[in-house]
Each structure stands twice: as C-alpha cells, then as structure tokens.
Amino acid sequence: MREYNTVEISGRKFAILLDDEAMTAYEAVWTENGWETDFSYPAIGINSLDVAGALDFETVKKMGYTFSV
C-alpha cells in the first residue's frame, strides 16, 4: 500500500492509503505501530468531518478506487 494523501488534524496524522493491485482505498491514522486502518474517530477524539474535509476522497474515487469499509 502507498500513501496518497496525508493531513494532520489536532496533532494526529491521517492518510488515504491506496492498494493499486486491488484498486482499494483505506482511511488510516498514524500510530506508534504505523498506519492503522481499523479505528474509530470518536475513540481517538477526532471529528470525522474535519478529516473528510481535509483529505481528497473525491479524486481517489474518480481514479477508480473503492473505499474499504
């Protein structure tokens, strides 16, 4: 997987990660262990709308990637 887009919100780093082979995209948060895709915005005290407004989800979708849930 590769980082497509990153942003820092309230001291935390977020990214859209792309799996080019599967054409799948993931939302991720940086942790002490690296990128984590299995997380809850409320559990880490971040408003998901702040992240959604800062990362480029629309371009990723236009590039043909599907976001993993």
Side-chain angles (χ1 to χ4, degrees), residues 12-51:
R12 289 195 160 268
K13 188 175 174 183
F14 295 89
I16 296 175
L17 304 179
L18 300 179
D19 179 338
D20 295 325
E21 189 173 310
M23 293 299 289
T24 305
Y26 302 86
E27 289 180 69
V29 63
W30 184 258
T31 69
E32 59 199 28
N33 298 319
W35 289 115
E36 177 62 53
T37 59
D38 185 21
F39 68 96
S40 162
Y41 284 106
I44 60 175
I46 301 291
N47 183 332
S48 63
L49 296 177
D50 292 340
V51 177

